[in-house]
């Protein structure tokens, strides 16, 4: 179901996704952050949450050789600084 849009159905889908993410990952956010994610019809706020969650899960599950950058890694183009 689409979650990007200004219809009540899209807002309801954003609410469903937030509730599912909160339950599956034992996460919570304050009322202002929740409202920002629900009220953002373009979905950018929710997309940012989902992207951060996927990045964290990928880092968490990566073998140590991938999650620990080599000493010269910051000098290479494209390295994500965190």
């Amino acid at each position: 179901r689409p979650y990007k849009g200004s219809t009540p159905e899209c807002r309801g889908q954003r609410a469903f996704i937030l509730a599912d993410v909160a339950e599956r990952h034992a996460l919570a956010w304050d009322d202002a952050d929740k409202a920002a994610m629900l009220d953002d019809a373009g979905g950018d706020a929710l997309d940012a949450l989902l992207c951060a969650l996927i990045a964290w899960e990928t880092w968490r599950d990566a073998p140590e050789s991938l999650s620990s950058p080599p000493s010269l890694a910051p000098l290479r183009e494209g390295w994500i600084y965190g």
Side-chain angles (χ1 to χ4, degrees), residues 14-65:
R14 289 190 296 276
F16 173 80
I17 292 168
L18 281 175
D20 188 58
V21 167
E23 183 179 330
R24 289 177 187 251
H25 300 283
L27 295 174
W29 29 82
D30 63 27
D31 291 339
D33 289 336
K34 183 177 180 180
M37 290 184 276
L38 290 176
D39 295 340
D40 177 24
D44 291 340
L46 182 55
D47 287 348
L49 170 70
L50 297 175
C51 184
L53 182 60
I54 291 167
W56 173 78
E57 286 181 334
T58 301
W59 175 83
R60 178 197 64 194
D61 297 338
E64 188 174 331
S65 62

